[in-house]
Amino acid sequence: MWGVTLWVAAVAALILLIRPNLFEKSHSLGIITHLLMVLPFFALASRFLVNDTSIQYVAAFGGESLPYKYRFAATWAAREGPILMWVVWLTLLAWIWRRPMTGKVLESAQSRDFRLRVVFGFSLTLLLIAIVLDPFKQTPQFFFGAGLNELLQTDLMIIHPPIIFLGYSFCILIAAVSLSGIFTAETSGISDRIIHLTRPGLLITTIGIGLGGLWAYLILDWGGYWAWDPVETGSFLPWLALVAISHLRTRPGKVSDSGWIGAGLVVGALALFATLVTRAGGVWASSVHTFVISESGTPPEDAFSRMMLLKNDAVAGVEIMSYLMFILILAGSWLLLVRKGLHKNDSASSSQLLLLPVIGAALAIPFGADLYHWLPDITILGLLVGFIAFDKYTNNNLEFEPQGWTYFRSKYASSLVIMPILVFLLIPQTFFVLLFIVLFTPLYYSQKAINEWIWASMGIMLSLAGAWSGMIDVLQAGIVIIIFLTPFLVEEEVAESQKFSKRQLKKIALWCSVMLVSLYLILTLTILLESVDTINFDAHELYGAPLILGFAAAMLVYTRRRHSAKSTLVVLSVVSVFSLLMAIFFSDSLGQDSGTAISEYLDRGFIAWISLPMLLVLLGPMISEVYDQFTKSGKTPAWRRIPVGAHLVHLGLILLLIGHITTTVLVDRGDASHRITLVKDELVINGGYGFEFTELVATEDGLEVGDGFVGVSITVYEMDGSEKQEIGVVEPGMLRFDRTGTARSEVDVLTRWSGDMVFIFDGTQAQGLMQQTSSEGLESVNLVRVTIYDLPGSHLVWIGWAIMMLGMLGVTYSGFVKNQSQRDTALILAEQE
């Protein structure tokens, strides 16, 4: 009976796909169809609330002993529930923006309808996936579920996943706006529509990622808020893309409509990719997020081939392949956009020929089901066949007059085909070649290739990141770099050198807001693609440090925009030289694990010294900038000024990055020195602190989750020679779950003004403590092993995050008020016309 709700919702989505403006014809029918789309999620949630174990999904992840809030949260504990929750958010956003969006120009009904069709089409796809997965299937005989995963039985489980999916829903809606601009050819005012959605999307995504970090910090045994886990790194990618979009208006020069559209497509593709990373269990075997898993083997070494293994998995295959196809469609749409910019009088039907590469790739996947070793080759060949057909059509119809050096073109063969084939033969990595095509195509179609230095920079970063992460070797990276550098090596025109001035420096600083974020995005994505078996923590931190330094330097230049260029360059030079000298000669002077080696020549202190001094120097000027913007006279209240909120975000980010360096970069989570063995009633001194295990605490009363708690009471002292001063008592321990025979580590945090000290029983320690107390009793425990992390500056992470959210909230509200004013003006003009 409950499964009928899925079909009802699918029919409602189909109706809205055909008639997205249904609410204009009948307001009541519009409301009803939207409500029917969200019906399956609430039907499934109701089954969890009443613990209807006749449904296998409930029997597997629910439980009568769970509090009602955790029963409700269990709805999105596995694969089916989050899909239905995603439909809820998409439906809500579609309803909120059901009317033509406004800005300086009112969106047409045609563009609005196409945008809504994209959203409803994606929602229909999700519903069809849910139908295949069948969340309401009956529980088979003798089936016993393990219940809700112990790590998910926390209040943050109720908040974090829904907010993340809401953020991804904003990303899909932004991509829908971009697709509407491509296929309806209505681009006027598209930047207003995209930025209007980007601001709340960035706020929601920031909240979601921060709550995930808080979950790891308080509940999980990470000992910190960030660990470059593949899933959290995947969620970081659309956040970076949203940050880049939010700065498109601040960089010098007017961004073309195609630039805004392309950025919107990137956001949507990365949201899908982040979902794919989370849902493709077993592909990123290094992830601790194993709540959604597959039993398929994972012999291939690259992420794409592992995804192909899931194709025949009845549970994961349909979903993973659907996300992958949507990513390819968005990539094809971007290439279509680049091509349309150079084809005059281009009809919509002919322009869609560029989707041939996507179709080729889609057709290649089913034929390679059992030949996973050949799937990358088959897929790339499908892409290249499509490009050959498309490129022949392109060169026959291209109205093009080169204004400088361009890549080789011919009606029979061209660089658009030759270069991807070359890269494919050189580097048989599907995702790498796809990224190469996406970045190379704008250079190919440019009338003057050196004008596309942005894409060339990203292509070079792709190659460098591929070599740094081990995806490709140095020679392969060098060849790809040469491909992207060729226009700049052979172009006869050489730009005249310009003397640095205040205006020139400010222009560079404003460009950095977009360029550094984009380069960091490419770096992070490439390292993530290679980190399928081990988390490449050191690579993320080491190669990202120069980009963080660049961000701090650019912000310092901006805050000093009223000073002379010479003095600004002197400040930058002095701080940079100081950082370099400290990194080389005094890298271990920062304490903690700064002396821990990450390679033959580098240690953690080296990474920290690269960017920390510039961030510290920037802190004062940024506080002054916020104060100046806040006290600036004007008719608009300070809390409604976008610059005030924007600089609050910058200030929060600086604080967060400083805290990140002191609590994450300088702390080696795998260092055995953090694991301390404590003997009962004996003082153990470590790192200037004394730790005394005084008693074992056990209780089964008053627990919200779990069947029993066993903790260790530890008195913490600050040591001054032989003198000791008590600074607190902590009780880390473990929660016992009798139903599954497992234990969950319970972290305790000692908070001081300078930072936190985190005490952890990791999974192995908690399990051993549970077994010993169960078999031998509490009195048998006279020795425990506790992991202790001293995290000075940890408060800066959370203070910075809070300030960022406050600033983003101000920017979002200010943008909403501004958009309402523009809407009123646009409606008046429309009525006059």
Side-chain angles (χ1 to χ4, degrees):
M1 177 186 70
W2 296 103
V4 175
T5 60
L6 290 169
W7 291 99
V8 171
V11 171
L14 182 60
I15 292 173
L16 289 171
L17 179 63
I18 299 171
R19 297 291 298 274
N21 60 343
L22 179 62
F23 71 95
E24 293 181 342
K25 307 297 182 183
S26 173
H27 191 71
S28 58
L29 282 178
I31 294 176
I32 291 171
T33 48
H34 281 76
L35 289 177
L36 289 177
M37 285 184 62
V38 305
L39 183 60
F41 171 78
F42 290 103
L44 184 60
S46 72
R47 299 302 87 204
F48 272 98
L49 289 173
V50 300
N51 194 39
D52 184 358
T53 55
S54 65
I55 295 175
Q56 183 176 347
Y57 190 60
V58 177
F61 301 104
E64 190 174 6
S65 62
L66 288 174
Y68 280 103
K69 59 181 180 180
Y70 294 152
R71 291 192 197 183
F72 181 70
T75 308
W76 50 82
R79 189 173 295 278
E80 295 88 336
I83 294 176
L84 299 179
M85 179 173 62
W86 203 354
V87 173
V88 172
W89 288 130
L90 288 168
T91 305
L92 176 63
L93 297 185
W95 177 257
I96 293 174
W97 280 282
R98 64 190 181 278
R99 295 187 176 87
M101 297 181 66
T102 54
K104 295 178 182 177
V105 179
L106 185 66
E107 184 185 22
S108 71
Q110 180 189 17
S111 176
R112 183 275 314 270
D113 289 350
F114 191 96
R115 166 172 57 81
L116 291 177
R117 283 193 173 102
V118 172
V119 176
F120 291 132
F122 184 67
S123 298
L124 177 59
T125 303
L126 293 176
L127 288 168
L128 293 176
I129 293 172
I131 289 173
V132 173
L133 300 180
D134 191 8
F136 296 105
K137 60 177 172 283
Q138 295 298 299
T139 305
Q141 194 174 11
F142 305 117
F143 176 85
F144 298 98
L148 185 63
N149 188 295
E150 294 82 7
L151 295 178
L152 302 181
Q153 296 183 36
T154 166
D155 289 350
L156 286 168
M157 171 63 176
I158 307 171
I159 309 171
H160 168 65
I163 291 181
I164 285 291
F165 274 97
L166 176 57
Y168 292 167
S169 298
F170 270 102
C171 294
I172 297 299
L173 185 56
I174 292 170
V177 173
S178 293
L179 291 171
S180 174
I182 295 174
F183 290 98
T184 66
E186 183 183 327
T187 59
S188 180
I190 198 166
S191 62
D192 292 327
R193 298 194 285 277
I194 289 178
I195 200 71
H196 179 61
L197 295 171
T198 296
R199 287 166 179 157
L202 182 58
L203 171 62
I204 294 298
T205 308
T206 303
I207 294 173
I209 293 177
L211 288 174
L214 191 63
W215 191 342
Y217 193 73
L218 297 178
I219 304 300
L220 304 180
D221 55 14
W222 289 8
Y225 78 104
W226 195 261
W228 292 109
D229 181 82
V231 170
E232 65 178 3
T233 306
S235 68
F236 187 48
L237 296 173
W239 186 88
L240 287 172
L242 289 169
V243 169
I245 291 181
S246 67
H247 288 83
L248 284 180
R249 283 184 172 172
T250 62
R251 76 154 189 75
K254 184 179 183 298
V255 179
S256 65
D257 291 335
S258 62
W260 285 96
I261 293 172
L265 294 175
V266 169
V267 167
L270 290 176
L272 289 167
F273 182 77
T275 309
L276 191 151
V277 172
T278 307
R279 314 284 284 175
V283 174
W284 275 268
S286 56
S287 176
V288 301
H289 292 75
T290 54
F291 312 122
V292 178
I293 61 174
S294 171
E295 295 179 356
S296 300
T298 56
E301 296 181 356
D302 65 289
F304 183 82
S305 297
R306 292 190 177 187
M307 290 179 192
M308 294 304 102
L309 284 179
L310 298 177
K311 196 189 79 64
N312 290 333
D313 189 317
V315 178
V318 175
E319 183 183 5
I320 299 307
M321 293 302 106
S322 298
Y323 297 149
L324 189 56
M325 287 304 100
F326 273 110
I327 291 172
L328 288 173
I329 288 172
L330 290 176
S333 298
W334 158 244
L335 302 180
L336 169 60
L337 174 67
V338 175
R339 171 202 179 245
K340 286 182 69 176
L342 296 179
H343 286 256
K344 304 189 188 301
N345 303 319
D346 191 16
S347 66
S349 58
S350 64
S351 66
Q352 292 173 23
L353 281 176
L354 188 57
L355 294 180
L356 280 172
V358 178
I359 296 173
L363 292 176
I365 288 176
F367 288 109
D370 300 318
L371 303 173
Y372 61 83
H373 288 299
W374 294 99
L375 273 170
D377 308 290
I378 295 171
T379 304
I380 291 297
L381 287 175
L383 283 166
L384 294 179
V385 167
F387 267 104
I388 292 171
F390 163 69
D391 190 58
K392 182 176 181 181
Y393 173 85
T394 295
N395 287 298
N396 287 337
N397 295 275
L398 185 64
E399 298 179 21
F400 178 82
E401 190 65 37
Q403 298 176 357
W405 190 90
T406 60
Y407 286 90
F408 175 73
R409 290 183 174 85
S410 168
K411 66 186 299 182
Y412 301 107
S414 67
S415 302
L416 186 64
V417 176
I418 295 173
M419 293 302 182
I421 290 177
L422 173 64
V423 174
F424 161 67
L425 295 175
L426 188 68
I427 307 169
Q429 293 271 4
T430 306
F431 280 129
F432 185 93
V433 177
L434 179 61
L435 288 171
F436 172 85
I437 292 171
V438 168
L439 298 175
F440 176 75
T441 303
L443 273 76
Y444 172 80
Y445 280 120
S446 176
Q447 297 177 350
K448 188 176 182 180
I450 61 171
N451 289 343
E452 306 301 329
W453 60 271
I454 296 176
W455 304 107
S457 300
M458 293 183 185
I460 293 170
M461 176 55 76
L462 172 66
S463 305
L464 292 174
W468 291 336
S469 63
M471 177 184 290
I472 60 178
D473 60 38
V474 176
L475 178 61
Q476 292 171 330
I479 293 174
V480 177
I481 287 174
I482 290 174
I483 293 175
F484 283 104
L485 275 181
T486 298
F488 307 92
L489 297 175
V490 302
E491 178 65 65
E492 295 181 1
E493 176 187 346
V494 180
E496 296 182 2
S497 60
Q498 298 184 14
K499 184 179 179 180
F500 280 113
S501 62
K502 287 195 295 184
R503 183 178 180 182
Q504 188 72 8
L505 281 177
K506 181 181 176 182
K507 184 177 180 180
I508 293 173
L510 292 174
W511 259 111
C512 285
S513 63
V514 175
M515 280 304 304
L516 290 176
V517 172
S518 300
L519 294 176
Y520 196 58
L521 193 157
I522 294 292
L523 171 70
T524 305
L525 174 60
T526 307
I527 296 176
L528 172 62
L529 288 172
E530 182 58 20
S531 303
V532 289
D533 287 321
T534 57
I535 297 175
N536 210 334
F537 179 96
D538 296 337
H540 281 291
E541 297 293 346
L542 175 61
Y543 303 128
L547 296 178
I548 295 176
L549 172 64
F551 155 75
M555 290 304 303
L556 186 60
V557 169
Y558 180 80
T559 58
R560 293 179 53 85
R561 59 190 180 278
R562 298 179 185 88
H563 295 73
S564 68
K566 183 178 180 180
S567 65
T568 299
L569 288 174
V570 169
V571 172
L572 291 176
S573 300
V574 170
V575 177
S576 299
V577 170
F578 174 77
S579 293
L580 185 61
L581 291 176
M582 295 301 293
I584 294 174
F585 298 107
F586 303 97
S587 61
D588 60 350
S589 60
L590 291 172
Q592 296 178 269
D593 299 324
S594 57
T596 303
I598 60 172
S599 71
E600 185 178 355
Y601 305 104
L602 303 177
D603 54 28
R604 289 179 174 272
F606 184 93
I607 300 176
W609 275 116
I610 291 176
S611 53
L612 184 58
M614 192 71 76
L615 288 169
L616 292 173
V617 169
L618 173 61
L619 193 56
M622 185 52 64
I623 293 174
S624 177
E625 181 73 30
V626 172
Y627 177 79
D628 291 343
Q629 291 290 345
F630 192 83
T631 57
K632 189 176 182 179
S633 60
K635 295 182 179 179
T636 305
W639 49 274
R640 277 180 46 189
R641 297 179 200 155
I642 290 179
V644 173
H647 289 304
L648 269 178
V649 175
H650 296 149
L651 175 60
L653 180 58
I654 293 166
L655 292 173
L656 191 150
L657 288 173
I658 294 172
H660 177 82
I661 291 172
T662 60
T663 64
T664 304
V665 177
L666 291 174
V667 178
D668 184 1
R669 309 292 169 191
D671 192 334
S673 64
H674 294 293
R675 294 190 289 273
I676 301 174
T677 299
L678 301 179
V679 180
K680 193 171 183 180
D681 297 325
E682 290 187 13
L683 182 67
V684 176
I685 299 175
N686 184 279
Y689 296 96
F691 307 98
E692 185 177 6
F693 163 30
T694 57
E695 64 175 323
L696 206 65
V697 180
T699 182
E700 295 182 356
D701 301 324
L703 300 177
E704 192 170 39
V705 296
D707 300 294
F709 169 79
V710 177
V712 179
S713 182
I714 302 173
T715 304
V716 185
Y717 302 93
E718 194 165 34
M719 305 300 297
D720 183 10
S722 59
E723 299 294 324
K724 63 180 182 179
Q725 180 181 356
E726 182 177 333
I727 59 176
V729 178
V730 292
E731 290 185 358
M734 65 89 188
L735 273 177
R736 188 183 77 247
F737 293 84
D738 294 340
R739 181 180 179 184
T740 57
T742 57
R744 184 182 89 186
S745 175
E746 286 291 281
V747 176
D748 202 359
V749 178
L750 176 63
T751 300
R752 297 164 296 155
W753 69 269
S754 59
D756 292 335
M757 187 176 292
V758 182
F759 295 77
I760 305 170
F761 280 102
D762 64 28
T764 303
Q765 296 162 355
Q767 196 73 23
L769 184 62
M770 184 192 73
Q771 292 173 355
Q772 182 176 351
T773 55
S774 298
S775 60
E776 302 178 28
L778 296 177
E779 298 301 324
S780 66
V781 180
N782 294 306
L783 182 146
V784 294
R785 191 174 78 254
V786 183
T787 303
I788 304 174
Y789 295 110
D790 184 21
L791 306 177
S794 59
H795 302 327
L796 294 177
V797 172
W798 308 114
I799 292 173
W801 176 52
I803 292 175
M804 286 178 68
M805 290 191 295
L806 180 63
M808 288 178 183
L809 183 61
V811 170
T812 302
Y813 178 74
S814 302
F816 174 77
V817 172
K818 182 179 179 181
N819 184 264
Q820 284 295 102
S821 176
Q822 290 177 338
R823 175 183 177 85
D824 296 338
T825 303
L827 290 174
I828 292 172
L829 292 175
E831 290 176 359
Q832 291 176 348
E833 293 177 359

